[in-house]
Amino acid sequence: MTASFSFVLLLGIWAALSYTEAVDPIFLPTPGEVVVEMVRLLGTSEYWNHIGISVFRVSAGFLLACIIGIPLGIFAGTFKYGEAFVEPPMEFIRYMPAVAFIPLIMVWAGIGEWAKILLIFIGCFFQLALMVADITRRVSHDLLQASFTLGAGRWKAIETVLIPAIQPQLMNTLRLILGWAWTYLVVAELVAVNSGLGYAIMKAQRFLNTDQIFVGIIVIGLLGLISDRIFAFLNRRLFPWA
């Protein structure tokens, strides 16, 4: 109820400012105009192509970060030498803004799809590895000691005790990281593109089509919300005890 009220309040403030023209319509279109423009754009195949390529870029960058970051995080969180080897450079690099890597990415990967995917990967990977290391370290030592008492070796304990123990918290971490991946989308689509929601937003900005800018922002928000709800659903179904 409270969450619904906050959305209604936000919509009410927007409507009040736009319909009374307290803010110039060029800068703040009315909710009705944005809805009409959203329906028009979603009725075109071109806009769905923008949505599809953006979903692909976010998914690819996020999955690449998971494939590399999760094992590395478990390694750093399990072994002291892994922590000493992995975490210092990660802690250093994670404070660097991903945008600062754009010139290097263009040198390394050109201006094709890999450049966009790599930027989203950089924005997610370092944070993900450190967060996985942290949740790995928080696994109860009693569980691990019990597995050793029952005859499990180190790698068997990691496989049968540690990895299952971190899975519920890992799912929550992935939800958070996927949200960050969506926030890097527009930045990634500034790199020599002619497709994607970020491109559509920047193109609308050049022609002062503010209603289309709002549509792009809302669509990205809805896609992010849908992906977040999917993770929340999977977490409840797969780990009901957590």
Side-chain angles (χ1 to χ4, degrees):
M1 183 65 181
T2 304
S4 300
F5 175 74
S6 65
F7 276 106
V8 171
L9 179 62
L10 183 63
L11 183 61
I13 294 172
W14 176 13
L17 292 174
S18 59
Y19 284 113
T20 62
E21 296 190 1
V23 178
D24 192 316
I26 293 176
F27 305 113
L28 187 66
T30 65
E33 290 171 340
V34 172
V35 170
V36 169
E37 186 64 14
M38 178 181 288
V39 171
R40 186 187 72 80
L41 288 174
L42 292 178
T44 65
S45 60
E46 180 185 7
Y47 208 77
W48 281 104
N49 287 335
H50 288 319
I51 293 173
I53 193 64
S54 291
V55 169
F56 166 74
R57 288 164 180 161
V58 169
S59 301
F62 172 73
L63 288 174
L64 186 60
C66 290
I67 290 169
I68 302 175
I70 292 174
L72 199 61
I74 293 173
F75 172 67
T78 304
F79 303 101
K80 286 295 182 183
Y81 57 84
E83 178 182 355
F85 179 76
V86 171
E87 292 205 6
M90 293 281 183
E91 290 283 2
F92 173 66
I93 297 173
R94 76 179 178 126
Y95 289 107
M96 300 178 182
V99 181
F101 286 91
I102 289 178
L104 277 177
I105 290 172
M106 294 179 72
V107 172
W108 293 339
I111 58 174
E113 285 303 310
W114 270 110
K116 292 78 174 173
I117 293 169
L118 190 56
L119 182 62
I120 294 172
F121 165 79
I122 289 173
C124 299
F125 168 70
F126 300 101
Q127 303 284 358
L128 175 60
L130 290 171
M131 293 175 74
V132 171
D134 183 60
I135 64 175
T136 301
R137 276 193 293 270
R138 283 188 275 143
V139 172
S140 171
H141 289 283
D142 292 338
L143 285 175
L144 295 172
Q145 289 301 324
S147 68
F148 293 143
T149 301
L150 293 172
R154 174 176 289 183
W155 292 105
K156 192 66 175 177
I158 291 172
E159 177 188 349
T160 59
V161 177
L162 189 143
I163 292 178
I166 70 171
Q167 286 177 357
Q169 189 58 43
L170 177 61
M171 187 68 76
N172 286 327
T173 299
L174 293 179
R175 283 178 63 191
L176 179 63
I177 296 296
L178 182 56
W180 290 347
W182 279 107
T183 65
Y184 284 111
L185 174 67
V186 176
V187 176
E189 291 183 339
L190 293 177
V191 184
V193 294
N194 55 10
S195 62
L197 290 170
Y199 165 77
I201 290 173
M202 298 308 297
K203 182 180 177 182
Q205 181 266 333
R206 287 198 294 270
F207 297 101
L208 284 180
N209 293 327
T210 320
D211 51 353
Q212 293 184 15
I213 296 174
F214 272 78
V215 171
I217 293 170
I218 291 170
V219 169
I220 290 174
L222 289 174
L223 290 171
L225 182 62
I226 290 169
S227 60
D228 180 83
R229 291 298 87 198
I230 291 172
F231 267 86
F233 172 77
L234 290 175
N235 204 6
R236 288 195 302 271
R237 292 299 298 270
L238 297 175
F239 315 110
W241 65 88

